[in-house]
């Protein structure tokens, strides 16, 4: 999807284009951003019924280097998003983490939306946690299968770590289209493929 500066249009039920742009660093007035990440964020927002704050989207190479990011980061090409639950309580992330570990419909649906990278990190500013999603399509680092990691030294919830080894043992396939698209999802996907002129004509009908 093309993201433009200062555009407050809703690109999903709960997220605006401006939220995606505001979390970018070192970009111009517009850039291409992953539809899969947007859809997955909306899925998590709807599933947990909790507001989400987007903390990082696309980054310039210079900015990414300045914060110690990988030279092959999916963020550089607009294929990744970092986010937190807005109320910033670890309780919501505990529920989220346990859903990942269950290997059930929740994590399978994330794959169905096209997410191939899931990372858990401890925030440096406080004791909170943030999550990373990416679609694995970056030209700098294409993923062939689901990759997961938890960078925390100590696991807060139980003794099982959500990582690539754990995911491989679940035998999940990113090709499984288990996330059923609602009519709203289908409409938004169609809208994203339309030009501004086509959108205007659709609205004025």
């Amino acid at each position: 999807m093309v993201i433009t500066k200062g555009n407050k249009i809703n690109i999903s039920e709960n997220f605006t284009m401006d939220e995606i742009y505001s979390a970018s660093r070192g970009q111009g007035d517009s850039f291409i951003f992953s539809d899969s990440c947007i859809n997955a964020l909306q899925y998590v927002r709807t599933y947990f019924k909790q507001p989400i704050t987007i903390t990082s989207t696309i980054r310039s190479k210079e900015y990414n280097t300045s914060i110690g990011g990988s030279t092959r980061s999916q963020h550089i090409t607009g294929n990744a998003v970092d986010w937190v639950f807005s109320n910033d309580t670890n309780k919501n992330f505990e529920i989220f983490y346990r859903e990942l570990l269950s290997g059930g419909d929740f994590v399978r649906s994330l794959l169905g939306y096209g997410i191939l990278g899931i990372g858990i990190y401890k925030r440096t500013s406080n004791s909170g946690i943030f999550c990373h999603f990416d679609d694995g399509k970056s030209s700098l680092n294409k993923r062939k299968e689901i990759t997961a990691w938890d960078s925390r030294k100590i696991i807060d919830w139980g003794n099982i770590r959500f990582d690539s080894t754990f995911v491989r043992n679940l035998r999940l396939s990113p090709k499984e289209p288990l996330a059923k698209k609602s009519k709203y999802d289908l409409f938004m996907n169609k809208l994203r493929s339309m030009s501004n002129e086509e959108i205007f004509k659709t609205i004025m009908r």
Side-chain angles (χ1 to χ4, degrees):
M1 169 180 281
V2 178
I3 303 297
T4 56
K5 183 178 181 179
N7 195 332
K8 298 185 183 300
I9 187 175
N10 274 72
I11 54 175
S12 73
E13 185 176 355
N14 296 105
F15 296 102
T16 66
M17 187 173 290
D18 189 57
E19 287 179 271
I20 301 295
Y21 185 88
S22 296
S24 68
R25 294 293 183 271
Q27 299 302 308
D29 290 339
S30 65
F31 55 83
I32 303 294
F33 189 70
S34 165
D35 283 346
S36 293
C37 288
I38 295 170
N39 290 335
L41 278 179
Q42 182 58 55
Y43 173 66
V44 174
R45 170 68 175 81
T46 302
Y47 189 92
F48 291 101
K49 298 181 175 62
Q50 294 291 333
I52 284 173
T53 299
I54 300 170
T55 58
S56 182
T57 54
I58 193 171
R59 307 168 184 162
S60 67
K61 288 183 178 180
E62 293 75 18
Y63 178 81
N64 188 66
T65 299
S66 73
I67 62 172
S70 167
T71 56
R72 303 171 65 212
S73 172
Q74 301 271 341
H75 284 282
I76 296 173
T77 50
N79 297 94
V81 62
D82 294 344
W83 60 272
V84 299
F85 286 110
S86 300
N87 56 23
D88 206 26
T89 66
N90 284 349
K91 183 62 178 177
N92 284 326
F93 260 114
E94 178 182 355
I95 298 171
F96 169 79
Y97 199 79
R98 292 188 186 281
E99 285 285 353
L100 292 178
L101 291 175
S102 75
D105 286 347
F106 174 70
V107 65
R108 290 172 180 269
S109 290
L110 289 177
L111 302 187
Y113 277 114
I115 296 302
L116 285 181
I118 302 174
I120 305 295
Y121 294 88
K122 184 178 179 61
R123 300 180 74 177
T124 55
S125 59
N126 55 36
S127 60
I129 296 165
F130 74 89
C131 183
H132 165 102
F133 285 163
D134 70 63
D135 62 18
K137 295 180 180 179
S138 173
S139 58
L140 301 175
N141 182 21
K142 286 188 179 296
R143 302 191 193 281
K144 296 181 180 179
E145 59 183 0
I146 177 70
T147 302
W149 61 96
D150 185 342
S151 67
R152 298 173 300 160
K153 293 181 180 179
I154 300 175
I155 305 301
D156 296 321
W157 311 297
N159 56 2
I160 302 175
R161 184 180 292 272
F162 183 78
D163 56 18
S164 293
T165 300
F166 176 83
V167 171
R168 281 194 293 270
N169 289 336
L170 290 176
R171 291 182 170 82
L172 298 176
S173 169
K175 296 181 181 179
E176 296 180 55
L178 296 176
K180 295 182 179 179
K181 301 287 186 180
S182 66
K183 290 182 179 180
Y184 181 85
D185 289 328
L186 295 173
F187 172 75
M188 289 305 299
N189 285 340
K190 180 180 180 181
L191 198 63
R192 293 184 185 109
S193 66
M194 298 167 64
S195 65
N196 289 339
E197 182 179 356
E198 290 172 327
I199 292 174
F200 178 78
K201 288 181 179 178
T202 300
I203 296 173
M204 295 303 293
R205 283 178 185 171

